[in-house]
Amino acid sequence: MRDRSQPRVGDRRCAYPFPPMGDSLDVTFYGVRGSTPCPCDENRRYGGNTSCVVIDVPGGEPILLDLGTGLRFYGVAEPCTEVPFRGTALLSHLHWDHVQGLPFFPPLHRQGSRLDVHGPVEAGRSLEASFDTFMNPPFFPICIHDMPGEITFHDTSTGSFDVGPARVTVCEVPHVGTTFGYRIDWGGVSVAYVSDHQQPVDDPRHVDEAVLELVDGVDLLIHDAQFTPEEFAERSNWGHCTVDYALEVAHQAAVGELVLFHHDPAHCDGTIDGILATAVERAVDLDIGSVTAAMEGRTVQLRPASAPATTS
């Protein structure tokens, strides 16, 4: 477990001057599912779109975490109606549920819009080449660069870089294929995104040291929590983890709030309610500020210094 009294790794909380009072880093969930979209009445409260989270940075352009089907709903939201759209996407990996929303993002159907996409190189193939492969006839009716908006791909590796006034840190996460987790620091607050995370089969308390460093002491940790223990026993090589393992990661890193994410498509609202209630009970004796479940439409506002986070 990390000691909150000790300085953060790399003093990330002090990377930028504190912003004016009242500014907040806003984190909004547009897609919260893993594997496949699953919209239906039973999933209405938590939502049925695949992974897409948007961070609104004061004084900067929005940062998009993954490009699943939730991206389309972000594209018709009020912030995206401004012309032209400018933003940066941080792609965890290339599986369908994390990329399939890109061609349906309305701002990219308008001239003058621009999206910078950062993500991993897979099997020696550039990020752009990967998109050219799966967004191409006969698999899709148009090619990626046929869209009116400008898409620029950036082959990304572990390390840190700036996106406007925010600092982005990248680390490789155990999954299936090359997969990244991201940390965003701004004005003394921090968010970590670990959407897909392979739980060790033989040692359920072991957490990769690079992952622990990435999420160390963050205010908000968005973490894979796809399986129950019974489901994991049948799918231990699928690249995901149990809710208990998400709690273990949050416990060892002493995070402020753990958000259970990448809900299994078979988990209806009632099932997630039960999973969340059990997780909240188990977290009582752990060094975690709170535990919630990702819900489409929810916005978490992270304020610097001692101001509490709020949600809507």
Side-chain angles (χ1 to χ4, degrees), residues 77-115:
E78 185 177 354
C80 286
T81 59
E82 298 179 6
V83 179
F85 173 83
R86 299 283 191 270
T88 296
L90 306 177
L91 192 63
S92 62
H93 60 306
L94 296 172
H95 290 168
W96 284 350
D97 50 330
H98 296 259
V99 300
Q100 63 197 129
L102 184 61
F104 303 101
F105 186 45
L108 290 179
H109 293 269
R110 300 193 294 260
Q111 292 282 351
S113 292
R114 189 198 74 233
L115 183 66

Side-chain angles (χ1 to χ4, degrees), residues 67-201:
L67 302 171
T69 59
L71 180 66
R72 188 181 77 82
F73 290 87
Y74 173 56
V76 298
E78 185 177 354
C80 286
T81 59
E82 298 179 6
V83 179
F85 173 83
R86 299 283 191 270
T88 296
L90 306 177
L91 192 63
S92 62
H93 60 306
L94 296 172
H95 290 168
W96 284 350
D97 50 330
H98 296 259
V99 300
Q100 63 197 129
L102 184 61
F104 303 101
F105 186 45
L108 290 179
H109 293 269
R110 300 193 294 260
Q111 292 282 351
S113 292
R114 189 198 74 233
L115 183 66
D116 287 286
V117 181
H118 294 258
V121 172
E122 180 70 34
R125 176 183 294 165
S126 72
L127 188 62
E128 182 172 0
S130 293
F131 273 84
D132 282 339
T133 298
F134 63 72
M135 189 175 164
N136 199 23
F139 309 109
F140 199 77
I142 63 171
C143 299
I144 191 70
H145 293 297
D146 290 334
M147 300 180 72
E150 178 185 353
I151 306 172
T152 302
F153 294 96
H154 304 269
D155 294 343
T156 305
S157 56
T158 58
S160 296
F161 58 93
D162 294 338
V163 176
R167 168 61 61 114
V168 173
T169 303
V170 187
C171 122
E172 193 160 343
V173 175
H175 182 48
V176 179
T178 305
T179 301
F180 287 157
Y182 294 96
R183 177 181 179 128
I184 296 89
D185 285 276
W186 167 86
V189 295
S190 51
V191 179
Y193 179 77
V194 184
S195 66
D196 297 48
H197 192 182
Q198 173 65 60
Q199 175 177 331
V201 176

Side-chain angles (χ1 to χ4, degrees), residues 283-302:
V284 169
D285 296 325
L286 303 176
D287 190 22
I288 307 170
S290 63
V291 181
T292 60
M295 178 181 290
E296 289 174 23
R298 180 193 180 201
T299 297
V300 180
Q301 294 181 313
L302 298 174

